[in-house]
């Protein structure tokens, strides 16, 4: 892949092949498509902010890569970021650390439920949510989102019915939602809170995409709704999606309730997962302290990419439906009008269009006929991808 000189720094195309990238190096072993354009794994094809890279270089230059623990300034940086970006005041002692949000979700299941207990999720939703129950001998209860005229909303009537079942201990929210891109309103979150309080259910809120919202202040952390919400919730956050540092495996879990926090930490200790990544500590603190200008510029670029792809579909491939997400750099594309079986559709996109999307069925049966597209890449890559898709559609 050749670099392309253009006017915007994010237009630079960086060769990620042979860089141990799942997104790029997984094309051949997983899809037998080494030359396809990868639009699947949710990381960006952009370099991390320069302050982050500088912090990592400082560690390398120091030369000692031993065991690590965060200084107080690390917690303070996270708290300051949450206050500034989301008007969420957290105390440093509420923070617990895990090597990722998926590990945090699994730790929460083990800490707060017993075998046979029930866990509610809202599909179509991030694939690992579906595995939480089966992995640990719990029962999954699905509360599917309502999809009408291209828009998604919670089915709160069904959620009340689901929550009233015996043995329901957790509701796992995806907020903002992956893959449909919704930023839940205060009214929706309050309704969830009322149901959770009524039935004594803990809410686990995955808020990893909370900084990738296109309207400032629109994301509402679940824990700020009320004192009750704060005391029955586990909020999972990270700088990883925001600043493209997911490979450093450093996430923050905010638990205001001391009893819940101790249970969570005890399970971390039981699983020997308390160690932190030296590079992740430095990168996270640098990102939260100095990465905001990079984020604002990147959000603007990503929004432009979203507009480009959506307009291309409307103009050239109108039979497929796609809406502007309120958050994330992910598009949820409806290919159902093509009349293909899902596997046939996926194979067509890979072999005929040369594109690898995330399969909609990875997010539940509600994803039949849908694909998730990652647009966090240079615009020229998207232009190639859309041209390839258009040609494949014309020749199918």
């Amino acid at each position: 892949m050749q670099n392309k000189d253009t006017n915007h720094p994010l237009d630079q195309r960086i060769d990620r092949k042979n860089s141990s990238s799942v997104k790029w190096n997984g094309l051949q072993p997983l899809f037998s498509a080494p030359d396809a354009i990868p639009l699947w794994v949710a990381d960006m094809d952009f370099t991390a902010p320069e302050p982050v890279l500088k912090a990592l270089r400082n560690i390398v230059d120091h030369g000692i890569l031993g065991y690590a623990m965060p200084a107080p300034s690390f917690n303070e940086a996270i708290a300051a970021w949450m206050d500034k970006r989301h008007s969420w005041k957290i105390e440093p002692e509420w923070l617990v650390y895990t090597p990722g949000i998926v590990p945090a979700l699994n730790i929460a299941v083990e800490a707060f439920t017993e075998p046979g207990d029930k866990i509610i999720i809202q599909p179509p939703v991030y694939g690992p949510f579906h595995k939480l129950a089966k992995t640990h001998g719990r029962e999954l209860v699905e509360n599917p989102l309502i999809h009408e005229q291209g828009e998604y909303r919670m089915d709160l009537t069904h959620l009340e019915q689901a929550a009233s079942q015996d043995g329901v201990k957790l509701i796992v929210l995806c907020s903002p939602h992956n893959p449909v891109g919704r930023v839940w309103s205060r009214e929706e979150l309050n309704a969830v809170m009322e149901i959770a309080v009524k039935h004594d259910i803990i809410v686990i809120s995955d808020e990893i995409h909370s900084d990738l919202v296109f309207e400032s202040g629109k994301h509402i952390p679940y824990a700020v709704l009320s004192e009750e919400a704060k005391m029955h919730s586990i909020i999972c956050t990270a700088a990883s999606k925001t600043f493209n540092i997911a490979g450093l495996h450093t996430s923050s879990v905010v638990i205001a309730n001391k009893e819940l926090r101790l249970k969570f930490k005890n399970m971390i200790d039981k699983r020997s997962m308390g160690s932190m990544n030296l590079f992740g500590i430095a990168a996270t603190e640098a990102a939260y302290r100095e990465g905001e200008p990079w984020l604002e510029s990147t959000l603007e670029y990503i929004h432009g990419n979203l507009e480009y792809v959506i307009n291309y579909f409307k103009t050239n491939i109108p039979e497929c439906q796609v809406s502007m997400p309120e958050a994330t750099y992910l598009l949820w594309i409806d290919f159902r009008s093509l009349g293909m079986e899902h596997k046939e559709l996926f194979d067509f996109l890979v072999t005929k269009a040369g594109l690898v999307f995330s399969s909609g069925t990875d997010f539940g049966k509600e994803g039949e006929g849908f694909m998730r597209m990652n647009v966090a890449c240079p615009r020229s890559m998207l232009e190639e991808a859309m041209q390839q898709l258009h040609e494949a559609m014309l020749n199918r």
Side-chain angles (χ1 to χ4, degrees):
M1 184 182 301
Q2 299 297 316
N3 289 346
K4 181 179 179 181
D5 292 326
T6 55
N7 293 326
H8 197 290
L10 298 182
D11 282 328
Q12 182 185 20
R13 295 182 60 163
I14 300 169
D15 190 347
R16 295 184 67 188
K17 292 182 178 179
N18 304 313
S19 66
S20 299
S21 163
V22 172
K23 185 177 183 179
W24 287 84
N25 292 105
L27 292 173
Q28 173 57 32
L30 296 176
F31 310 108
S32 301
D35 297 320
I37 298 176
L39 302 168
W40 60 305
V41 174
D43 67 18
M44 306 183 196
D45 287 308
F46 308 138
T47 58
E50 180 55 33
V52 169
L53 301 179
K54 180 180 178 181
L56 299 180
R57 291 187 196 105
N58 288 342
I59 293 175
V60 172
D61 290 344
H62 184 259
I64 298 177
L65 307 178
Y67 295 115
M69 64 180 292
S73 61
F74 179 79
N75 288 14
E76 292 163 3
I78 296 171
W81 179 267
M82 296 304 172
D83 188 14
K84 181 177 182 181
R85 297 290 294 194
H86 305 298
S87 301
W88 181 21
K89 296 187 182 299
I90 65 175
E91 299 296 332
E93 61 266 25
W94 297 353
L95 290 164
V96 185
Y97 305 105
T98 67
I101 286 183
V102 173
L105 296 175
N106 282 274
I107 291 166
V109 169
E110 290 194 288
F112 305 124
T113 68
E114 299 293 337
D117 285 344
K118 298 174 182 177
I119 302 167
I120 297 175
I121 66 170
Q122 297 177 308
V125 71
Y126 184 47
F129 282 28
H130 294 265
K131 301 176 183 178
L132 292 173
K134 185 177 180 180
T135 300
H136 302 286
R138 277 61 166 172
E139 183 179 337
L140 190 66
V141 178
E142 296 192 355
N143 168 228
L145 301 179
I146 295 172
H147 185 212
E148 292 178 339
Q149 299 180 334
E151 301 295 331
Y152 284 87
R153 58 185 172 86
M154 291 188 192
D155 187 340
L156 295 168
T157 300
H158 181 269
L159 179 60
E160 166 65 36
Q161 294 169 354
S164 67
Q165 298 179 33
D166 290 339
V168 173
K169 297 297 177 64
L170 297 180
I171 296 173
V172 185
L173 287 181
C174 197
S175 178
H177 194 279
N178 170 18
V180 308
R182 274 298 315 279
V183 177
W184 303 121
S185 68
R186 186 175 294 273
E187 290 73 22
E188 288 167 311
L189 292 173
N190 275 330
V192 173
M193 178 191 67
E194 291 172 3
I195 291 169
V197 170
K198 176 181 177 181
H199 297 286
D200 193 24
I201 298 171
I202 296 171
V203 173
I204 313 295
S205 187
D206 173 359
E207 302 189 6
I208 196 170
H209 291 103
S210 61
D211 294 317
L212 299 170
V213 174
F214 300 109
E215 182 180 331
S216 179
K218 187 166 187 178
H219 170 73
I220 302 170
Y222 181 85
V224 307
L225 294 173
S226 69
E227 185 67 17
E228 289 175 315
K230 182 176 74 174
M231 297 306 286
H232 76 235
S233 63
I234 315 297
I235 313 299
C236 301
T237 70
S240 54
K241 297 295 182 189
T242 307
F243 298 102
N244 204 31
I245 54 174
L248 299 180
H249 293 286
T250 303
S251 297
S252 309
V253 182
V254 185
I255 311 176
N257 184 311
K258 185 176 181 180
E259 181 181 352
L260 296 183
R261 188 166 66 250
L262 289 175
K263 285 184 178 180
F264 190 86
K265 292 177 75 172
N266 286 341
M267 190 56 65
I268 289 176
D269 292 341
K270 184 177 179 180
R271 295 286 175 252
S272 299
M273 296 174 65
S275 298
M276 292 190 68
N277 183 302
L278 175 66
F279 290 96
I281 293 170
T284 297
E285 182 168 352
Y288 282 146
R289 290 195 182 281
E290 303 179 71
E292 191 170 40
W294 179 94
L295 174 60
E296 295 297 341
S297 176
T298 301
L299 281 174
E300 182 180 5
Y301 189 88
I302 288 171
H303 196 266
N305 279 355
L306 291 167
E307 289 180 326
Y308 166 76
V309 173
I310 290 169
N311 289 333
Y312 193 98
F313 268 104
K314 287 181 178 178
T315 303
N316 299 289
I317 317 174
E319 58 268 40
C320 298
Q321 302 300 309
V322 58
S323 300
M324 176 65 74
E326 297 171 301
T328 81
Y329 45 74
L330 307 167
L331 285 172
W332 187 236
I333 306 170
D334 186 351
F335 288 94
R336 290 176 298 175
S337 65
L338 302 186
M340 294 184 182
E341 294 294 327
H342 191 82
K343 185 179 185 305
E344 178 189 7
L345 171 63
F346 189 84
D347 291 344
F348 166 77
L349 293 169
V350 173
T351 61
K352 302 301 183 182
L355 305 176
V356 173
F357 297 118
S358 293
S359 171
T361 54
D362 290 347
F363 305 89
K365 61 182 180 295
E366 295 80 5
E368 285 275 353
F370 289 80
M371 297 289 158
R372 191 191 74 175
M373 178 182 185
N374 177 354
V375 306
C377 61
R379 184 75 49 83
S380 61
M381 192 182 302
L382 290 179
E383 291 169 351
E384 290 179 18
M386 297 311 296
Q387 290 167 8
Q388 289 176 199
L389 178 59
H390 189 208
E391 290 172 8
M393 296 285 286
L394 292 174
N395 296 318
R396 70 185 178 95

